[in-house]
Amino acid sequence: MNLIFTNILVILIGGLLGMITMPIFGYLSDNFKGNCINRVGKRTPFVIIGSLGCCAGIIIMSAFSILRLFYVFAISWAITSIFLSMAVAPYSAVIPDTVQREQFGAASGWLGLLSMIGYGVGGSLGFFYLALGGFTYSVYFVAGLFLLCSGITCISIRMKTYNFNEDSQQNRNMFKDIWGGIKAPFKSSDFCWVFFTRTCMGMGFYTLQQFIQYYIHDVIPTPYKVFSLIDIKDDVTSATSLFLLVLLLGAVSSSIIGGILSDKYGRKIFIYISGLVQFLAIIPFLLPYLNEYQYILIWGFIFGLGYGMYQSVDWALASDVLPSAKNFAKDIAIWQLSTNIPQIISPFLAGLLLDEFSKIAPPESPNLGYDVIFGIAMFWFAIGTIFVKNVKMEKLRRGQALDDLFTLSGESSFDDYLGVEFDRIEEISVGELEIGFSSDS
């Protein structure tokens, strides 16, 4: 089976399953009721079961190296994707559950930093592939590391529980609630713009990520050297892994800084800066006299600086505009679809354009296909950056502040509070209301 087609098909499987299952597991996590909630929290059971199932799928994947059957790999990847959604959707709500709103930027920065480190460890497997004993043992290493990190998360974090009004949880149609819950965040114009701009940025990033290996193979001359310090010869896999590691090094360098500073100076300015950096860093890929391996590592590092800052600040921006504190897992899972959609669309769109323009490329422009898809990536970065200006950032919203306050006090929302227990309104002190509003300002 064609390597590029196989790669795109695998991405499609994971992306579609993520789009379907993430909101479902997010909803179930938000509304989970059981005897274990008070002991471990309502997110923990999903993280544990999802992590174990994900590792099972990863281990089954190791059979692919023995049987060499694509459907074995596809089935194992499908299992991995479903259980990964089960773990990730509730986990994504842990920080909003446990962190004060005025510290979302700092928490987002740390999340971005550690995510980049995780990506770096995964990317480094291209170098240590043989040292780990080949594909099978590399899979075992990934599964073991995943279980270790999940275990640390479940043990060290006291997952928050919400005592929702039981009356509001009875006689509810789960599927109707899920569909209504998917539509609910999009009633907020701020959420719509954050979703749209992140989708655009994802289109740009995944165009670069999915085709950088083919770009190095087709465009960059061999041997792959780094200023006489490193000679990878003609090993495209190692050259791609080194590029991604350098990119992630740049991302690690900027993620925590952007997140922390965004709490003080606002989110938008850092979205603009990071988007501009990513836009400019792609320009050298279009210049034939800069098509040397050592140079693309420099551009990759610069791109990573913008990418890391964007990833950390954008998560905080999304947390700022989530409609309700009681649906964090479901709403963040829906926001995560802005990552899944580009993973599905960009490989097909860019792959089609690359193929068509490569066929008609004149002799003086043999890399026309790559010029086109990287130029389109720049377009996506420009759109995703410019339209962030439409996010109004109305942090002080009376309804949301009261929803947060009463949810944490044991009620599902301010509206439920008024409808069910209006006579208790005098029991909420002025000081408590001020605390609720100040956390939103």
Side-chain angles (χ1 to χ4, degrees):
M1 186 177 292
N2 181 273
L3 181 60
I4 297 180
F5 175 77
T6 303
N7 185 39
I8 293 176
L9 185 59
V10 169
I11 294 170
L12 177 63
I13 292 172
L16 285 176
L17 288 174
M19 290 181 63
I20 295 170
T21 57
M22 284 279 281
I24 294 175
F25 287 123
Y27 168 87
L28 293 175
S29 171
D30 286 330
N31 295 276
F32 179 65
K33 295 185 292 184
N35 295 330
C36 63
I37 289 180
N38 292 331
R39 295 193 301 271
V40 300
K42 67 194 313 175
R43 315 291 186 196
T44 306
F46 292 90
V47 175
I48 293 175
I49 297 173
S51 299
L52 292 174
C54 183
C55 288
I58 292 174
I59 292 174
I60 295 173
M61 199 180 299
S62 66
F64 175 72
S65 64
I66 301 174
L67 301 177
R68 297 291 179 180
L69 297 173
F70 175 75
Y71 72 85
V72 174
F73 185 83
I75 292 173
S76 61
W77 179 240
I79 294 173
T80 302
S81 298
I82 292 172
F83 281 101
L84 184 62
S85 295
M86 186 177 187
V88 169
Y91 170 77
S92 298
V94 171
I95 291 181
D97 280 351
T98 57
V99 175
Q100 295 295 322
R101 186 176 295 275
E102 61 269 18
Q103 295 179 326
F104 274 0
S108 179
W110 282 106
L111 177 66
L113 172 65
L114 296 175
S115 297
M116 295 305 129
I117 292 175
Y119 297 151
V121 172
S124 67
L125 290 178
F127 286 110
F128 303 110
Y129 177 81
L130 295 178
L132 291 171
F135 179 81
T136 300
Y137 289 100
S138 296
V139 167
Y140 294 156
F141 172 79
V142 171
L145 189 61
F146 188 86
L147 276 182
L148 175 63
C149 294
S150 299
I152 293 173
T153 299
C154 293
I155 293 173
S156 61
I157 299 178
R158 179 67 172 89
M159 305 281 185
K160 183 169 288 188
T161 63
Y162 294 124
N163 183 26
F164 293 122
N165 189 303
E166 292 294 330
D167 292 338
S168 66
Q169 299 294 316
Q170 296 176 356
N171 302 319
R172 294 174 62 175
N173 185 309
M174 183 184 73
F175 296 103
K176 183 177 180 181
D177 275 359
I178 291 175
W179 176 241
I182 290 175
K183 296 187 294 183
F186 293 100
K187 295 178 182 178
S188 164
S189 61
D190 281 351
F191 185 89
C192 290
W193 282 115
V194 170
F195 188 94
F196 171 74
T197 55
R198 181 178 172 84
T199 300
C200 291
M201 299 297 281
M203 290 291 292
F205 174 75
Y206 287 111
T207 298
L208 176 66
Q209 183 199 53
Q210 298 300 331
F211 289 91
I212 190 64
Q213 180 172 352
Y214 308 117
Y215 174 83
I216 292 175
H217 178 271
D218 296 338
V219 178
I220 305 301
T222 56
Y224 305 125
K225 292 184 177 181
V226 184
F227 300 108
S228 302
L229 300 176
I230 301 176
D231 187 356
I232 309 178
K233 301 186 184 303
D234 59 351
D235 188 345
V236 177
T237 301
S238 296
T240 305
S241 296
L242 180 57
F243 173 85
L244 294 176
L245 284 176
V246 171
L247 186 154
L248 291 171
L249 179 61
V252 167
S253 303
S254 61
S255 58
I256 184 64
I257 298 174
I260 293 175
L261 291 179
S262 72
D263 281 332
K264 183 176 182 180
Y265 299 104
R267 318 291 188 209
K268 287 186 178 181
I269 181 62
F270 294 99
I271 295 290
Y272 296 147
I273 293 173
S274 62
L276 178 62
V277 170
Q278 292 176 87
F279 177 89
L280 295 177
I282 295 184
I283 294 178
F285 288 88
L286 308 179
L287 305 178
Y289 54 86
L290 294 177
N291 286 341
E292 292 187 23
Y293 183 70
Q294 56 198 14
Y295 293 144
I296 71 165
L297 292 183
I298 297 175
W299 319 140
F301 179 82
I302 296 173
F303 181 89
L305 290 173
Y307 175 70
M309 180 178 293
Y310 178 83
Q311 288 296 311
S312 62
V313 177
D314 188 58
W315 187 94
L317 180 64
S319 299
D320 287 337
V321 302
L322 291 181
S324 174
K326 68 177 181 178
N327 294 315
F328 270 141
K330 183 263 296 177
D331 289 344
I332 288 185
I334 294 171
W335 171 72
Q336 291 279 14
L337 297 183
S338 61
T339 298
N340 296 113
I341 292 173
Q343 284 180 318
I344 295 172
I345 297 177
S346 62
F348 279 101
L349 177 62
L352 177 64
L353 293 174
L354 175 62
D355 184 56
E356 292 301 319
F357 279 93
S358 294
K359 291 178 181 178
I360 63 173
E364 62 272 18
S365 300
N367 304 321
L368 179 62
Y370 289 103
D371 293 343
V372 169
I373 64 171
F374 287 156
I376 292 176
M378 294 175 64
F379 166 79
W380 289 121
F381 284 126
I383 294 297
T385 302
I386 292 171
F387 281 93
V388 170
K389 68 182 179 63
N390 293 318
V391 180
K392 302 303 181 183
M393 293 295 293
E394 297 171 348
K395 290 186 177 182
L396 187 57
R397 295 176 180 171
R398 182 177 179 84
Q400 181 173 334
L402 288 173
D403 266 3
D404 290 349
L405 174 60
F406 291 116
T407 296
L408 296 175
S409 301
E411 306 298 334
S412 59
S413 72
F414 183 50
D415 291 336
D416 289 341
Y417 188 92
L418 289 177
V420 178
E421 301 186 29
F422 184 82
D423 57 326
R424 289 180 53 212
I425 191 67
E426 294 181 357
E427 296 178 20
I428 303 297
S429 69
V430 174
E432 286 175 313
L433 288 175
E434 290 176 349
I435 291 173
F437 283 119
S438 66
S439 68
D440 234 14
S441 60

